[in-house]
Amino acid sequence: NKSSLQWHDRKIEANYVIAGEAEVLLEDDENILQSHIFKAGSGWVVPVKRKHRVIAITDYTALEVSTPHLDDVVRFEDDAERPSGKIDSEHE
């Protein structure tokens, strides 16, 4: 499974892997997507207006914290064809 390739105009998020392993594609300062592998005990921060995607390498459990901007998702690619913005069914 993988998340959409997305960014946020205002939201900042941080993720901490509790178990398992994930690959994170995160845009750098030159707008190039860089691949990073995160295992249990490690994590990442996504600044505003940085494209990113999370790809599960194994089943994994992560804790995500963010600023409260639930409708601040701009999707560039999405396998499930979800639109940009808040998906109400995911935030009930």
Side-chain angles (χ1 to χ4, degrees), residues 2 4 8 12 17 31 33 36 48 53 58 71 73 83 85 92:
K2 62 184 172 184
S4 48
H8 311 290
I12 299 169
V17 179
N31 304 108
L33 283 174
H36 307 273
V48 295
R53 169 176 269 164
T58 66
D71 61 345
V73 179
E92 293 177 346

Side-chain angles (χ1 to χ4, degrees), residues 4 21 66 81 91:
S4 48
E21 187 174 354
S66 74
E81 299 181 13
H91 297 95

Side-chain angles (χ1 to χ4, degrees), residues 28 72 86:
D28 65 15
D72 184 26
K86 179 182 175 185

